[in-house]
Amino acid sequence: MLSMYKPDTATVHPCGKLSGSLAVPGDKSISHRVGMLASISAGISRVQGYLNSSDCVGLLRAMEALGACTMRSKDDGFAIHGTGKKILEPSGALDLGNSGTAMRLLTGLLSGFSTPVTLSGDESLRSRPMRRIEEPLRRMGARIQLTGERGCAPLRVNGGNLKAIEYEMPMASAQVKSAIMLAALFAKGTTTIIEPAPTRDHTEQVLRMLGLPVRVDGLTISVEGFGPEGPPLKARSWSIPGDISSAAFWLVAVAANRRSSVTIRGVGLNPRRTAILGVLERMGAKLKVHMDKNARDGEPVGEVRVSGTRLKGTVIGGEEIPNLIDEIPILAVAGALAEGETVIKDAAELRVKESDRIQSICQSLTALGVECEEMEDGMRIVGPATIHAPRKPLPSFGDHRIAMSLAVLGMFADEPLTIRGVECIETSYPGFWDHLKGLGGHVEQY
Ligand code: S3P
């Protein structure tokens, strides 16, 4: 029998320079939204660039349990045969693996249906806060039972008969905003959501591409409800750009290495996702951005060329945080390699991501000999540090973005750096190690 063994340990070697060009895999946030809506549309949607990662394929498995039919297509995408807004009652709980986006957005969407569904996930997902979606969805009329410990999943959704609400969000979260927006499509009346700060707007874009009525006025988003029948949803084709959150690892690895130069093609450049480019420029990075003339499905896309230099420290905080929240682990790496102090603040949301990222970043940097002070809402890092690879393997904390950030640090270390628990990289970046090797890095996996 063929073994299904997947390497979970990697040793990354110090690396002289990185060069070449690559296209990162599809955007994870957009893939989730398109995957969900295509699954309940009428007809077959062809999705080019859908992220073939465990989080996004796991979402498609869940949508299949609700009645959709999905197939990998030859052109590196998926064909999704939607249910035409009917959903089946699954026989058991749907396992959403590690994906907070899948759990929160699907809870919003399922709130529009009267079919009861239970959603669960891995240990990390079952420890992430879900009251933040339960509260507004309950006000709309859905019954959400949080059956896990301390307001966590597994959660049971019993929806239908929703009413529109006005909701002032207590935190900047695209997932909470999106859960409410998806439910709002099935409510009577206009739902209004007020954000404390701008967050990624892929749900707004995807709903607009489907011809649905979404209005945005500054920080206020209004969605016109269609009542229990839900909105008209017709299959269409989609083209998903590369994920800037995946490109971020190479942007930092190259920007901090004076001999390196790399081009990233076909990457999504939605202004609500590109705050990392501004931060890297403040740190002195040499970046050239070319927007493609033909934006894909309302989402700007283009090429980023980065070449290495000596980075300097900066302060990252305030309204830019939601627009680079997933890039903070790798920006902390940039801070460790930069001259002077880097301060990350206003980022307490990091404590409730796939791991407590403030703790996992600070523990990892400290173990590598970097001066790093943990704060309640961020950290202070002093660079440029000499990265000392410890003898013992470093843990990934089961967090894909920590694992990849450590891999980048390994390329700057004095000795080969071993990372344990790298399988989680599959949740967002299949092909990560091939890309590292393709650019000139060296890694052993076992
Ligand atoms: C996401 C929003 C962010 C981000 C997550 C994906 C999305 O979470 O961290 O990886 O797809 O909407 P929050 O909105 O909870 O901050």
Side-chain angles (χ1 to χ4, degrees), residues 22-33:
L22 57 80
V24 286
D27 187 277
K28 185 159 165 269
S29 290
I30 305 176
S31 294
H32 273 94
R33 286 148 174 88

Side-chain angles (χ1 to χ4, degrees), residues 132 407 430:
R132 50 179 62 194

Side-chain angles (χ1 to χ4, degrees), residues 97-99 121-129 353-355 397-398:
N98 193 243
S99 177
D122 67 12
E123 205 183 321
S124 151
L125 186 53
R126 282 186 280 107
S127 70
R128 296 183 64 186
K353 294 291 176 191
E354 286 83 329
S355 68
F397 298 86

Side-chain angles (χ1 to χ4, degrees), residues 160-211:
N161 262 328
L162 302 183
K163 60 174 192 292
I165 58 168
E166 183 177 315
Y167 192 68
E168 202 160 321
M169 299 206 345
M171 78 286 287
S173 164
Q175 293 181 346
V176 176
K177 170 179 69 174
S178 303
I180 304 170
M181 289 176 75
L182 294 173
L185 293 170
F186 295 82
K188 290 196 192 98
T190 306
T191 294
T192 307
I193 307 160
I194 301 138
E195 296 195 273
T199 63
R200 65 188 69 189
D201 61 359
H202 302 304
T203 307
E204 291 87 319
Q205 304 285 1
V206 165
L207 294 185
R208 275 200 203 105
M209 293 307 293
L210 286 164

